[in-house]
């Protein structure tokens, strides 16, 4: 009888250790995925001021839109938590769409080679961000499933592993930003 109790306790201890280590592994993958996406977001943040400066030369009286783009970029760039980053990215996406809509009214701007180059760079960067976001969301889904599934939800509760937010865009921004001129 004592052997059965010892074996049962050993199995439970091994399960606890394996489950905890599984959470740590997923948490580290989640942080890596977000960090990778953050690198692409920072590259985009670096591109935005150059894009705004190019547009500014052609659209002197559109300063309010340009200021909103820079302000949204700064908020997104300086976000400290994942939730803030996601929220601020949604705002930045919205202001960028306004910037490209604005450029439709300026044929000289649409013909500017610097603008075209930056537009292509931004388009490429958006593709990289989308791929990184897909990977991040896949890891978050796996982590959240483990947090909610029995019996691993017991370990999640004991060690305070919490569901993580998906990096999604708002319904109103699901359409592609038109950036071809």
């Amino acid at each position: 009888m004592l052997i059965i109790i010892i074996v049962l306790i050993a199995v439970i201890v091994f399960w606890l250790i394996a489950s905890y280590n599984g959470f740590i592994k997923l948490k580290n993958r989640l942080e890596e995925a977000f960090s990778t996406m953050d690198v692409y977001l920072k590259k985009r943040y670096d591109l935005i001021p150059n894009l705004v400066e190019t547009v500014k030369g052609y659209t002197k009286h559109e300063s309010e839109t340009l200021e909103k783009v820079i302000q949204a970029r700064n908020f997104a760039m300086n976000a400290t938590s994942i939730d803030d980053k996601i929220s601020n990215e949604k705002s930045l996406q919205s202001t960028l769409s306004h910037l490209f809509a604005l450029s439709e009214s300026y044929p000289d701007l649409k013909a500017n080679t610097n603008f075209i180059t930056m537009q292509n760079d931004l388009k490429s960067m958006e593709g990289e961000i989308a791929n990184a976001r897909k990977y991040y969301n896949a890891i978050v889904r796996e982590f959240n499933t483990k947090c909610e599934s029995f019996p691993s939800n017991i370990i999640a509760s004991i060690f305070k592993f919490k569901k993580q937010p998906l990096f999604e865009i708002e319904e109103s921004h699901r359409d592609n930003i038109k950036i071809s001129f």
Side-chain angles (χ1 to χ4, degrees):
M1 185 69 164
L2 183 63
I3 293 176
I4 293 173
I5 292 173
I6 291 172
V7 169
L8 186 59
I9 290 172
V11 167
I12 291 172
V13 167
F14 283 122
W15 173 79
L16 285 169
I17 291 169
S19 190
Y20 177 81
N21 288 340
F23 272 109
I24 294 300
K25 179 181 169 186
L26 280 174
K27 181 178 160 271
N28 289 339
R29 285 178 58 206
L30 191 135
E31 289 171 357
E32 175 203 11
F34 188 82
S35 178
T36 300
M37 184 173 45
D38 202 35
V39 167
Y40 291 119
L41 293 172
K42 286 178 182 165
K43 285 182 181 181
R44 183 177 67 182
Y45 300 153
D46 292 342
L47 181 62
I48 290 171
N50 296 330
L51 185 63
V52 168
E53 284 302 314
T54 301
V55 173
K56 194 184 288 185
Y58 289 90
T59 61
K60 301 281 188 216
H61 60 282
E62 303 286 357
S63 62
E64 183 181 333
T65 300
L66 300 176
E67 287 172 15
K68 285 181 181 178
V69 170
I70 291 297
Q71 182 181 29
R73 173 224 181 230
N74 291 340
F75 284 143
M77 198 167 89
N78 295 322
T80 55
S81 71
I82 292 175
D83 288 331
D84 287 345
K85 177 75 78 173
I86 292 170
S87 174
N88 291 339
E89 272 298 314
K90 291 175 184 177
S91 181
L92 177 60
Q93 193 73 26
S94 175
T95 59
L96 278 176
S97 65
H98 288 91
L99 178 68
F100 286 111
L102 171 77
S103 65
E104 287 291 322
S105 304
Y106 297 91
D108 290 342
L109 174 61
K110 293 191 311 188
N112 180 292
T113 55
N114 286 339
F115 183 74
I116 292 169
T117 300
M118 284 185 277
Q119 165 202 358
N120 289 334
D121 289 348
L122 186 61
K123 184 177 181 180
S124 172
M125 194 60 51
E126 291 295 334
E128 295 294 337
I129 291 168
N131 288 334
R133 185 172 34 234
K134 266 192 258 183
Y135 177 69
Y136 170 79
N137 283 341
I139 300 299
V140 168
R141 183 189 66 237
E142 193 176 336
F143 184 84
N144 289 347
T145 299
K146 190 165 184 151
C147 282
E148 295 178 320
S149 299
F150 183 79
S152 60
N153 64 344
I154 296 168
I155 300 299
S157 176
I158 292 170
F159 293 104
K160 302 201 183 332
F161 291 112
K162 303 239 186 276
K163 281 182 63 175
Q164 297 296 309
L166 293 170
F167 201 115
E168 299 176 309
I169 57 175
E170 290 180 0
E171 195 66 36
S172 63
H173 298 138
R174 291 195 189 273
D175 297 330
N176 289 334
I177 297 174
K178 184 177 181 180
I179 57 175
S180 60
F181 295 99

